[in-house]
Amino acid sequence: MVAATALVGGLSSLKDRKKHSCLWLPRNTFFFFTLVLVFLSGFTFFHFFSLKRDEYFRPKLKSTLHIFPMQAVSGESSPATPAITIQETVALPDQVLVFLKYPPSTPLFTKDDIRCLYLSSPNSTNNHHHHDQLELFPESVEDEHLDRQIVRCPHVPRGLVVSVSFKAKGNFPIGPIYRWDSLAYEAMIDHDNTTVVFVKGFNLRSGRVYDPSKFKCVYGWDLSRPKSTLLSDAVSVAQEIVRCKTPRSILTGSHKNWHGNVSIKVSVRLVGRRKMLNSIARPETRLKPGPKVEKRHQMCICTMLRNQARFLREWVMYHAHIGVEQWFIYDNNSVDDVKDVIQSLIDDSYNVSRHVWPWIKSQEAGFAHCALRARDSCEWVGFIDVDEFFHLPSGLSLHDVLKNQSKSKEIVELRASCHNFGPSGLRKVPMEGVTVGYTCRMKSPERHKSIVKPEALNDTLINMVHHFHLKAGLRPANLGKNMLVINHYKYQVWEVFKQKFDMRVATYVSDWKQKRNGRSKDRTPGLGTSTVEPPDWTSRFCQVKDTGLRDRIIDTFAETRTGMLPWQKNIS
């Protein structure tokens, strides 16, 4: 009765408005709109109900992602201005990674604009010049995407939390903080529609395959809410990599219907346990389908480096000469001028790309990640370090070697022996480069490094840095020492050697300063755990004089008049 009275009153009001205004609706039109509204309401209800029955996902219409809005840069709140946020923070043992998320089309700030802010409590962000705040310059600011940055801050003193601030403009509220040792940190959707998740925290042993039925992948915008997540089965588990079936709603992108541009995350948990790894892994990369894509390059290289910019030009220019066409460089927290060196190589028409890889002790995972990225464009991929050089004593090119080995379809991995070179009597970094400066090595080779066909890798992506596990029915081949070897300038002058071994990047290799695994080949023979230069360092690891690569470098690259090498001016 009340509703009917209100409706009649509303219609009477419309008649009155007709006399005083031109903005009125005829009675038939009014009822038409009423019917439309009722129809749309019913459709919306039916659509939402049908979504809840979807076998892949039961969405909530309200986003629950834990992202905290930033105070306006000017210090004044402005609802009309999209907020820059701290998306998440990851605490590493020696530094902190702060991930900034920018609204679309917002200019990214530079390193000079940003400060690392250390606070005694999360509420301290409201007081810009409070006495309990400490500001430091970031070690680097990486533009990971057009809308995201990684700010690398120095280690957080005990009892403090970290945020970031803009120079003389304002502070960010502190975002969610995760520990590095329990984290899903990267994810990719592979061409077979599986999600490859890179994780820390399960302590999976090197080279061992685990039962995938004991693991589940968890997808969602807010992983802390079980009802708003969906599960999928793992199909392989090994080392730091879990591969799972990707739900259909993730592949089709239908999750964006409810959450707009907010990216979904993926984590991993053990079956029977509700607790999962914390996650910053967003499976946004969709690799091209099908392994039989025409390759643009016959030979590529993947490497991971840290503060080795001064050696990079020599390494790239030499390998380009013998047949390498593309370089994937994973930068593991360098603070030197590696970005500038890479850009100079790009300007000189070398096909070099830099990928930010801030994850410590994760070289195996990084190489697996690189193998997936390189697969679509590269027939063969070599996995070597910047102090390792392919040497062809026979005078052939890499293309000749690869062509000869490609005659057998079963052979998909080529293994080359590594010769370790010593300081060769030097006390300072050789200005002419490592290939010319170091000419004395150990007599016997140690281990090997591999060139592989990336589509031939086992789905687990297990690798020991120097070789991968292959698919069933495929096999490796050992290359003869006269055909291809690797000159590994492992024991250089003390200044370089100490820096290299200060923080080993391989997951399953002990820090050389720790008193364990003393007989491992990854440690330094006769050096022990001391960081003091041995008095006979310059003469160590010198059993055979080997000038083969040195002579070839001089004959090929040295200027006739000056004898200068093209990379010499870049070595300091």
Side-chain angles (χ1 to χ4, degrees), residues 150-318:
I150 302 177
V151 181
R152 279 203 301 124
C153 293
H155 179 67
V156 182
R158 179 179 291 273
L160 299 182
V161 293
V162 68
S163 181
V164 295
S165 67
F166 290 135
K167 184 171 55 178
K169 290 185 178 180
N171 304 340
F172 287 92
I174 296 172
I177 302 175
Y178 304 123
R179 288 171 54 97
W180 161 240
D181 56 5
S182 179
L183 187 69
Y185 58 93
E186 295 274 359
M188 306 173 74
I189 296 180
D190 206 351
H191 64 66
D192 60 355
N193 290 335
T194 58
T195 302
V196 181
V197 190
F198 298 84
V199 300
K200 282 281 188 181
F202 289 125
N203 298 320
L204 306 178
R205 293 183 180 180
S206 174
R208 178 179 172 183
V209 178
Y210 288 78
D211 182 0
S213 67
K214 296 182 179 180
F215 295 81
K216 292 282 187 180
C217 278
V218 186
Y219 297 79
W221 292 274
D222 183 357
L223 298 178
S224 66
R225 293 177 172 241
K227 292 184 179 180
S228 66
T229 61
L230 63 126
L231 300 179
S232 71
D233 295 330
V235 295
S236 68
V237 179
Q239 292 186 173
E240 292 188 356
I241 301 173
V242 178
R243 187 187 288 267
C244 286
K245 297 177 181 178
T246 309
R248 185 174 60 188
S249 61
I250 305 300
L251 295 173
T252 60
S254 58
H255 58 283
K256 293 183 180 179
N257 293 342
W258 304 290
H259 288 264
N261 294 322
V262 178
S263 298
I264 199 168
K265 294 199 291 189
V266 61
S267 184
V268 181
R269 69 169 174 82
L270 291 169
V271 172
R273 297 185 184 180
R274 297 187 63 180
K275 187 177 181 181
M276 69 191 79
L277 297 178
N278 290 320
S279 176
I280 65 168
R282 295 172 172 83
E284 298 173 344
T285 302
R286 184 70 178 273
L287 299 174
K288 296 179 182 179
K292 296 182 180 180
V293 179
E294 184 179 351
K295 311 289 186 176
R296 295 194 304 272
H297 308 300
Q298 186 183 31
M299 178 65 190
C300 305
I301 286 181
C302 284
T303 195
M304 186 175 293
L305 58 76
R306 182 172 184 264
N307 296 334
Q308 298 185 67
R310 59 183 170 181
F311 307 119
L312 194 56
R313 285 188 65 85
E314 176 187 8
W315 185 75
V316 169
M317 295 176 75
Y318 166 75

Side-chain angles (χ1 to χ4, degrees), residues 369-385:
H369 190 277
C370 188
L372 293 176
R373 290 179 60 221
R375 182 182 54 207
D376 291 329
S377 59
C378 305
E379 184 74 22
W380 295 88
V381 182
F383 295 86
I384 61 175
D385 297 333

Side-chain angles (χ1 to χ4, degrees), residues 394-457:
S394 62
L396 296 173
S397 70
L398 275 175
H399 289 265
D400 296 329
V401 173
L402 298 178
K403 184 178 180 179
N404 291 337
Q405 296 298 326
S406 296
K407 294 177 181 178
S408 173
K409 294 183 178 180
E410 293 181 356
I411 297 177
V412 293
E413 177 184 5
L414 307 178
R415 297 181 175 180
S417 299
C418 295
H419 287 291
N420 292 333
F421 281 70
S424 304
L426 302 179
R427 296 187 178 276
K428 295 183 179 180
V429 176
M431 296 298 294
E432 62 272 26
V434 297
T435 53
V436 174
Y438 300 109
T439 57
C440 202
R441 62 171 173 84
M442 304 288 287
K443 182 179 181 179
S444 300
E446 181 183 271
R447 289 186 171 177
H448 64 266
K449 288 292 180 78
S450 294
I451 304 172
V452 302
K453 289 188 173 182
E455 68 269 13
L457 303 183

